[in-house]
């Protein structure tokens, strides 16, 4: 099982980016998916999560209204639309998926490799 994140880059303050994270491999089911971020010297913090089928979402309080999480279960992909980006949003963004591999009767968290978002003028 692998998760591949993409979409990071350099953006000016006030700009937008859309991150994607696709899960692949021998997967039986995917429960929650989501995003964390980590700035050097700081703890990793939850950005947003979304349940299977997109029925419920959760956001860090400071990000509500600017970030939107969504998923496409047919593509095993989770997205993070980030608007009105500010320099304090600069971080490495990591996606995760709570996945049960095929033939394994246990759910584990799998992580993507991280994608760097830099907000700077």
């Amino acid at each position: 099982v692998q998760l591949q994140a993409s979409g990071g880059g350099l953006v000016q303050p006030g700009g937008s980016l859309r991150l994607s994270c696709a899960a692949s491999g021998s997967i039986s089911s995917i429960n929650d998916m989501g995003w964390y971020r980590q700035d050097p010297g700081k703890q990793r913090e939850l950005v947003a999560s979304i349940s299977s089928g997109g029925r419920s979402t959760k956001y860090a309080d400071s990000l509500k209204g600017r970030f939107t999480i969504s998923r496409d279960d047919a593509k095993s992909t989770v997205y993070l639309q980030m608007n009105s980006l500010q320099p304090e949003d600069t971080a490495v963004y990591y996606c995760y998926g709570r996945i049960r591999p095929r033939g394994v009767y246990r759910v584990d968290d799998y992580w993507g490799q991280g994608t760097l978002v830099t907000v700077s003028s």
Side-chain angles (χ1 to χ4, degrees):
V1 175
Q2 290 184 328
L3 275 74
Q4 181 70 43
S6 61
L10 173 64
V11 63
Q12 292 187 339
S16 298
L17 280 177
R18 188 193 194 208
L19 306 183
S20 300
C21 176
S24 62
S26 184
I27 295 172
S28 178
S29 61
I30 303 176
N31 298 339
D32 289 1
M33 301 186 81
W35 296 89
Y36 278 74
R37 69 183 183 183
Q38 187 168 22
D39 201 13
K42 296 183 180 179
Q43 283 191 331
R44 188 175 292 192
E45 64 171 343
L46 175 69
V47 174
S49 64
I50 185 168
S51 64
S52 177
R55 284 182 290 272
S56 65
T57 57
K58 179 180 178 181
Y59 294 91
D61 287 341
S62 61
L63 301 177
K64 285 180 181 177
R66 295 195 298 124
F67 289 16
T68 303
I69 191 170
S70 61
R71 65 190 282 171
D72 184 338
D73 286 335
K75 296 181 179 179
S76 299
T77 299
V78 62
Y79 305 96
L80 184 69
Q81 178 66 43
M82 305 185 294
N83 298 328
S84 301
L85 284 162
Q86 300 301 318
E88 54 265 33
D89 295 317
T90 295
V92 177
Y93 285 70
Y94 297 91
C95 62
Y96 77 93
R98 199 148 288 164
I99 295 172
R100 184 164 76 86
R102 195 162 287 141
V104 176
Y105 295 93
R106 188 181 75 195
V107 174
D108 285 321
D109 286 347
Y110 290 81
W111 293 86
Q113 82 282 11
T115 184
L116 176 62
V117 172
T118 303
V119 185
S120 175
S121 56

